[in-house]
Amino acid sequence: MKLKSDFYLQSNVVLIAKALLGKTLCTTVDGVLTSGKITEVEAYSGTNDKACHANNGLRTKRTEVMYAQGGKAYVYLCYGIHHLFNVVTNVHDTADAVLVRAIEPIDGLETMQKRRRKIEINKTLTAGPGALSQALGIQYQQHYGADLQGDEIWIEDAPVLTESEIVTSTRIGVAYAEEDALKPWRFYIKDNKWISKK
DNA sequence: GCGACGATTATCT
DNA sequence: GATAATCGTCGCA
């Protein structure tokens, strides 16, 4: 069952990030269903978090969708090559988001394999924020601001994992965020092989 | 208008 | 382990 819109409106982005672990991210880009279990996420807060693109109230064309009401997709281009997928959370005018960093493939393996131009299926298929976006066909030009209640990108509900199944660490690639780089806001499923980095 | 750089990854050594 | 790839955004003039 598709996650209800209320889920995305919760005020604590860290709790939402943890709750998203184990749920299923689905897309029907090009008419083909591709999906995977969310195994790794990171939380970004619009307030008091220098690692967030919308930090310090920065409001531009790029960050605008993060200020929208939760339940939308924030997709952006990184290093000019990688499309990174985020889930916008919290109420209107509060710029919180959860970056999905890795998934465990479920549906549409062949399509994902083709999009990734992989001969074999291994963890490089969907473990990593740029990799999973490519596998699911997510592109910033096409999916920036997409409604997660729609039928092109959505998240299927699943039971919330227990604390003992979740590993917590600092976020990846945010050294520029000074003291906020130390925030323990990265979460992944313990003993799961579909993780970008240990 | 211009220049520096990034929430990364594939492909080298 | 190091590095190239590659382009939209942001900050400043």
Side-chain angles (χ1 to χ4, degrees), chain A residues 53 79 82 86 116 176:
Chain A
H53 292 153
Y79 293 95
H82 308 290
N86 300 249
R116 298 277 295 129
Y176 62 87

PDB file of all heavy atoms in Angstrom, chain A residues 53 79 82 86 116 176, chain B residues 6-11:
ATOM      1  N   HIS A  53      21.156  21.726   1.339  1.00  0.00           N
ATOM      2  CA  HIS A  53      21.231  22.741   0.285  1.00  0.00           C
ATOM      3  C   HIS A  53      20.394  23.970   0.633  1.00  0.00           C
ATOM      4  O   HIS A  53      20.676  25.064   0.170  1.00  0.00           O
ATOM      5  CB  HIS A  53      20.744  22.155  -1.047  1.00  0.00           C
ATOM      6  CG  HIS A  53      21.668  21.112  -1.583  1.00  0.00           C
ATOM      7  ND1 HIS A  53      21.250  20.085  -2.406  1.00  0.00           N
ATOM      8  CD2 HIS A  53      22.998  20.929  -1.388  1.00  0.00           C
ATOM      9  CE1 HIS A  53      22.287  19.316  -2.705  1.00  0.00           C
ATOM     10  NE2 HIS A  53      23.350  19.796  -2.105  1.00  0.00           N
ATOM     11  N   TYR A  79      27.806  16.656  -9.406  1.00  0.00           N
ATOM     12  CA  TYR A  79      29.009  16.481 -10.227  1.00  0.00           C
ATOM     13  C   TYR A  79      28.667  16.464 -11.713  1.00  0.00           C
ATOM     14  O   TYR A  79      29.412  15.909 -12.513  1.00  0.00           O
ATOM     15  CB  TYR A  79      29.738  15.194  -9.846  1.00  0.00           C
ATOM     16  CG  TYR A  79      30.318  15.246  -8.457  1.00  0.00           C
ATOM     17  CD1 TYR A  79      29.622  14.732  -7.376  1.00  0.00           C
ATOM     18  CD2 TYR A  79      31.558  15.848  -8.237  1.00  0.00           C
ATOM     19  CE1 TYR A  79      30.148  14.801  -6.097  1.00  0.00           C
ATOM     20  CE2 TYR A  79      32.079  15.914  -6.962  1.00  0.00           C
ATOM     21  CZ  TYR A  79      31.388  15.400  -5.891  1.00  0.00           C
ATOM     22  OH  TYR A  79      31.909  15.471  -4.632  1.00  0.00           O
ATOM     23  N   HIS A  82      25.391  12.777 -11.807  1.00  0.00           N
ATOM     24  CA  HIS A  82      24.520  11.918 -11.004  1.00  0.00           C
ATOM     25  C   HIS A  82      23.236  12.605 -10.552  1.00  0.00           C
ATOM     26  O   HIS A  82      23.268  13.719 -10.052  1.00  0.00           O
ATOM     27  CB  HIS A  82      25.287  11.405  -9.791  1.00  0.00           C
ATOM     28  CG  HIS A  82      26.586  10.780 -10.169  1.00  0.00           C
ATOM     29  ND1 HIS A  82      26.667   9.583 -10.838  1.00  0.00           N
ATOM     30  CD2 HIS A  82      27.855  11.205 -10.024  1.00  0.00           C
ATOM     31  CE1 HIS A  82      27.937   9.291 -11.065  1.00  0.00           C
ATOM     32  NE2 HIS A  82      28.684  10.257 -10.592  1.00  0.00           N
ATOM     33  N   ASN A  86      15.735  12.678  -3.410  1.00  0.00           N
ATOM     34  CA  ASN A  86      15.387  12.972  -2.017  1.00  0.00           C
ATOM     35  C   ASN A  86      13.882  13.011  -1.853  1.00  0.00           C
ATOM     36  O   ASN A  86      13.148  13.350  -2.792  1.00  0.00           O
ATOM     37  CB  ASN A  86      15.866  14.367  -1.595  1.00  0.00           C
ATOM     38  CG  ASN A  86      17.352  14.560  -1.692  1.00  0.00           C
ATOM     39  OD1 ASN A  86      18.025  14.682  -0.702  1.00  0.00           O
ATOM     40  ND2 ASN A  86      17.866  14.617  -2.915  1.00  0.00           N
ATOM     41  N   ARG A 116      21.627   0.681 -16.283  1.00  0.00           N
ATOM     42  CA  ARG A 116      22.949   0.821 -15.669  1.00  0.00           C
ATOM     43  C   ARG A 116      24.047   0.263 -16.565  1.00  0.00           C
ATOM     44  O   ARG A 116      25.218   0.344 -16.238  1.00  0.00           O
ATOM     45  CB  ARG A 116      22.971   0.091 -14.318  1.00  0.00           C
ATOM     46  CG  ARG A 116      21.988   0.650 -13.296  1.00  0.00           C
ATOM     47  CD  ARG A 116      22.552   1.865 -12.577  1.00  0.00           C
ATOM     48  NE  ARG A 116      23.690   1.524 -11.775  1.00  0.00           N
ATOM     49  CZ  ARG A 116      24.873   2.155 -11.819  1.00  0.00           C
ATOM     50  NH1 ARG A 116      25.039   3.151 -12.643  1.00  0.00           N
ATOM     51  NH2 ARG A 116      25.858   1.778 -11.054  1.00  0.00           N
ATOM     52  N   TYR A 176      32.334  19.564   4.022  1.00  0.00           N
ATOM     53  CA  TYR A 176      32.277  21.025   3.948  1.00  0.00           C
ATOM     54  C   TYR A 176      31.317  21.640   4.964  1.00  0.00           C
ATOM     55  O   TYR A 176      31.326  22.843   5.189  1.00  0.00           O
ATOM     56  CB  TYR A 176      31.825  21.454   2.535  1.00  0.00           C
ATOM     57  CG  TYR A 176      30.435  20.964   2.181  1.00  0.00           C
ATOM     58  CD1 TYR A 176      29.309  21.705   2.524  1.00  0.00           C
ATOM     59  CD2 TYR A 176      30.243  19.739   1.535  1.00  0.00           C
ATOM     60  CE1 TYR A 176      28.042  21.247   2.242  1.00  0.00           C
ATOM     61  CE2 TYR A 176      28.990  19.273   1.250  1.00  0.00           C
ATOM     62  CZ  TYR A 176      27.890  20.034   1.602  1.00  0.00           C
ATOM     63  OH  TYR A 176      26.628  19.569   1.320  1.00  0.00           O
TER      64      TYR A 176
ATOM     65  P    DG B   6      33.246  21.233  -3.216  1.00  0.00           P
ATOM     66  OP1  DG B   6      33.463  22.036  -1.999  1.00  0.00           O
ATOM     67  OP2  DG B   6      34.262  20.263  -3.659  1.00  0.00           O
ATOM     68  O5'  DG B   6      31.865  20.451  -3.032  1.00  0.00           O
ATOM     69  C5'  DG B   6      30.667  21.160  -2.770  1.00  0.00           C
ATOM     70  C4'  DG B   6      29.528  20.508  -3.522  1.00  0.00           C
ATOM     71  O4'  DG B   6      29.699  20.717  -4.934  1.00  0.00           O
ATOM     72  C3'  DG B   6      29.447  18.984  -3.334  1.00  0.00           C
ATOM     73  O3'  DG B   6      28.086  18.583  -3.420  1.00  0.00           O
ATOM     74  C2'  DG B   6      30.181  18.466  -4.556  1.00  0.00           C
ATOM     75  C1'  DG B   6      29.721  19.455  -5.597  1.00  0.00           C
ATOM     76  N9   DG B   6      30.613  19.576  -6.752  1.00  0.00           N
ATOM     77  C8   DG B   6      31.984  19.557  -6.764  1.00  0.00           C
ATOM     78  N7   DG B   6      32.493  19.716  -7.949  1.00  0.00           N
ATOM     79  C5   DG B   6      31.392  19.847  -8.784  1.00  0.00           C
ATOM     80  C6   DG B   6      31.306  20.045 -10.181  1.00  0.00           C
ATOM     81  O6   DG B   6      32.220  20.147 -10.999  1.00  0.00           O
ATOM     82  N1   DG B   6      29.990  20.122 -10.629  1.00  0.00           N
ATOM     83  C2   DG B   6      28.892  20.024  -9.814  1.00  0.00           C
ATOM     84  N2   DG B   6      27.704  20.125 -10.409  1.00  0.00           N
ATOM     85  N3   DG B   6      28.950  19.842  -8.505  1.00  0.00           N
ATOM     86  C4   DG B   6      30.219  19.762  -8.062  1.00  0.00           C
ATOM     87  P    DA B   7      27.182  18.652  -2.080  1.00  0.00           P
ATOM     88  OP1  DA B   7      25.932  19.252  -2.502  1.00  0.00           O
ATOM     89  OP2  DA B   7      27.921  19.200  -0.917  1.00  0.00           O
ATOM     90  O5'  DA B   7      26.856  17.126  -1.819  1.00  0.00           O
ATOM     91  C5'  DA B   7      27.759  16.308  -1.125  1.00  0.00           C
ATOM     92  C4'  DA B   7      27.109  14.966  -0.823  1.00  0.00           C
ATOM     93  O4'  DA B   7      25.946  15.209  -0.011  1.00  0.00           O
ATOM     94  C3'  DA B   7      26.602  14.230  -2.049  1.00  0.00           C
ATOM     95  O3'  DA B   7      26.559  12.834  -1.794  1.00  0.00           O
ATOM     96  C2'  DA B   7      25.183  14.764  -2.197  1.00  0.00           C
ATOM     97  C1'  DA B   7      24.773  14.844  -0.730  1.00  0.00           C
ATOM     98  N9   DA B   7      23.778  15.877  -0.475  1.00  0.00           N
ATOM     99  C8   DA B   7      24.000  17.215  -0.288  1.00  0.00           C
ATOM    100  N7   DA B   7      22.913  17.902  -0.074  1.00  0.00           N
ATOM    101  C5   DA B   7      21.906  16.957  -0.113  1.00  0.00           C
ATOM    102  C6   DA B   7      20.505  17.032   0.033  1.00  0.00           C
ATOM    103  N6   DA B   7      19.877  18.169   0.282  1.00  0.00           N
ATOM    104  N1   DA B   7      19.800  15.893  -0.071  1.00  0.00           N
ATOM    105  C2   DA B   7      20.451  14.754  -0.322  1.00  0.00           C
ATOM    106  N3   DA B   7      21.750  14.545  -0.486  1.00  0.00           N
ATOM    107  C4   DA B   7      22.424  15.698  -0.362  1.00  0.00           C
ATOM    108  P    DT B   8      27.996  12.018  -2.234  1.00  0.00           P
ATOM    109  OP1  DT B   8      27.756  10.635  -1.901  1.00  0.00           O
ATOM    110  OP2  DT B   8      29.140  12.765  -1.718  1.00  0.00           O
ATOM    111  O5'  DT B   8      27.999  12.131  -3.819  1.00  0.00           O
ATOM    112  C5'  DT B   8      26.882  11.679  -4.599  1.00  0.00           C
ATOM    113  C4'  DT B   8      27.359  10.827  -5.750  1.00  0.00           C
ATOM    114  O4'  DT B   8      28.452  11.477  -6.425  1.00  0.00           O
ATOM    115  C3'  DT B   8      27.868   9.443  -5.364  1.00  0.00           C
ATOM    116  O3'  DT B   8      27.136   8.488  -6.097  1.00  0.00           O
ATOM    117  C2'  DT B   8      29.343   9.442  -5.744  1.00  0.00           C
ATOM    118  C1'  DT B   8      29.397  10.499  -6.827  1.00  0.00           C
ATOM    119  N1   DT B   8      30.701  11.178  -6.949  1.00  0.00           N
ATOM    120  C2   DT B   8      31.271  11.274  -8.193  1.00  0.00           C
ATOM    121  O2   DT B   8      30.759  10.802  -9.190  1.00  0.00           O
ATOM    122  N3   DT B   8      32.460  11.930  -8.243  1.00  0.00           N
ATOM    123  C4   DT B   8      33.134  12.499  -7.184  1.00  0.00           C
ATOM    124  O4   DT B   8      34.182  13.066  -7.353  1.00  0.00           O
ATOM    125  C5   DT B   8      32.491  12.368  -5.890  1.00  0.00           C
ATOM    126  C7   DT B   8      33.137  12.938  -4.679  1.00  0.00           C
ATOM    127  C6   DT B   8      31.329  11.718  -5.836  1.00  0.00           C
ATOM    128  P    DT B   9      27.316   6.891  -5.873  1.00  0.00           P
ATOM    129  OP1  DT B   9      26.001   6.280  -6.071  1.00  0.00           O
ATOM    130  OP2  DT B   9      28.081   6.645  -4.651  1.00  0.00           O
ATOM    131  O5'  DT B   9      28.211   6.496  -7.128  1.00  0.00           O
ATOM    132  C5'  DT B   9      27.718   6.819  -8.413  1.00  0.00           C
ATOM    133  C4'  DT B   9      28.770   6.546  -9.459  1.00  0.00           C
ATOM    134  O4'  DT B   9      29.867   7.464  -9.353  1.00  0.00           O
ATOM    135  C3'  DT B   9      29.378   5.140  -9.391  1.00  0.00           C
ATOM    136  O3'  DT B   9      29.423   4.660 -10.723  1.00  0.00           O
ATOM    137  C2'  DT B   9      30.779   5.380  -8.868  1.00  0.00           C
ATOM    138  C1'  DT B   9      31.079   6.743  -9.476  1.00  0.00           C
ATOM    139  N1   DT B   9      32.118   7.535  -8.802  1.00  0.00           N
ATOM    140  C2   DT B   9      33.021   8.199  -9.580  1.00  0.00           C
ATOM    141  O2   DT B   9      33.017   8.155 -10.797  1.00  0.00           O
ATOM    142  N3   DT B   9      33.956   8.932  -8.881  1.00  0.00           N
ATOM    143  C4   DT B   9      34.058   9.051  -7.517  1.00  0.00           C
ATOM    144  O4   DT B   9      34.933   9.734  -7.019  1.00  0.00           O
ATOM    145  C5   DT B   9      33.071   8.316  -6.759  1.00  0.00           C
ATOM    146  C7   DT B   9      33.101   8.386  -5.280  1.00  0.00           C
ATOM    147  C6   DT B   9      32.159   7.606  -7.427  1.00  0.00           C
ATOM    148  P    DA B  10      29.405   3.071 -11.011  1.00  0.00           P
ATOM    149  OP1  DA B  10      28.084   2.724 -11.556  1.00  0.00           O
ATOM    150  OP2  DA B  10      29.965   2.332  -9.867  1.00  0.00           O
ATOM    151  O5'  DA B  10      30.453   3.010 -12.205  1.00  0.00           O
ATOM    152  C5'  DA B  10      30.316   3.949 -13.264  1.00  0.00           C
ATOM    153  C4'  DA B  10      31.649   4.107 -13.972  1.00  0.00           C
ATOM    154  O4'  DA B  10      32.565   4.873 -13.166  1.00  0.00           O
ATOM    155  C3'  DA B  10      32.346   2.787 -14.296  1.00  0.00           C
ATOM    156  O3'  DA B  10      32.870   2.895 -15.600  1.00  0.00           O
ATOM    157  C2'  DA B  10      33.436   2.684 -13.226  1.00  0.00           C
ATOM    158  C1'  DA B  10      33.765   4.146 -12.952  1.00  0.00           C
ATOM    159  N9   DA B  10      34.185   4.419 -11.579  1.00  0.00           N
ATOM    160  C8   DA B  10      33.694   3.885 -10.424  1.00  0.00           C
ATOM    161  N7   DA B  10      34.245   4.365  -9.335  1.00  0.00           N
ATOM    162  C5   DA B  10      35.163   5.283  -9.811  1.00  0.00           C
ATOM    163  C6   DA B  10      36.079   6.135  -9.165  1.00  0.00           C
ATOM    164  N6   DA B  10      36.212   6.207  -7.841  1.00  0.00           N
ATOM    165  N1   DA B  10      36.846   6.921  -9.937  1.00  0.00           N
ATOM    166  C2   DA B  10      36.709   6.856 -11.259  1.00  0.00           C
ATOM    167  N3   DA B  10      35.885   6.105 -11.977  1.00  0.00           N
ATOM    168  C4   DA B  10      35.139   5.333 -11.186  1.00  0.00           C
ATOM    169  P    DT B  11      33.529   1.568 -16.274  1.00  0.00           P
ATOM    170  OP1  DT B  11      33.100   1.538 -17.676  1.00  0.00           O
ATOM    171  OP2  DT B  11      33.324   0.395 -15.410  1.00  0.00           O
ATOM    172  O5'  DT B  11      35.066   1.977 -16.224  1.00  0.00           O
ATOM    173  C5'  DT B  11      35.446   3.296 -16.571  1.00  0.00           C
ATOM    174  C4'  DT B  11      36.896   3.542 -16.186  1.00  0.00           C
ATOM    175  O4'  DT B  11      36.997   3.898 -14.797  1.00  0.00           O
ATOM    176  C3'  DT B  11      37.799   2.322 -16.380  1.00  0.00           C
ATOM    177  O3'  DT B  11      39.017   2.725 -17.005  1.00  0.00           O
ATOM    178  C2'  DT B  11      38.076   1.859 -14.958  1.00  0.00           C
ATOM    179  C1'  DT B  11      38.092   3.207 -14.243  1.00  0.00           C
ATOM    180  N1   DT B  11      37.941   3.142 -12.779  1.00  0.00           N
ATOM    181  C2   DT B  11      38.713   3.995 -12.005  1.00  0.00           C
ATOM    182  O2   DT B  11      39.497   4.793 -12.474  1.00  0.00           O
ATOM    183  N3   DT B  11      38.513   3.876 -10.662  1.00  0.00           N
ATOM    184  C4   DT B  11      37.662   2.995 -10.015  1.00  0.00           C
ATOM    185  O4   DT B  11      37.582   2.980  -8.801  1.00  0.00           O
ATOM    186  C5   DT B  11      36.903   2.137 -10.879  1.00  0.00           C
ATOM    187  C7   DT B  11      35.944   1.152 -10.286  1.00  0.00           C
ATOM    188  C6   DT B  11      37.073   2.255 -12.210  1.00  0.00           C
TER     189       DT B  11
END
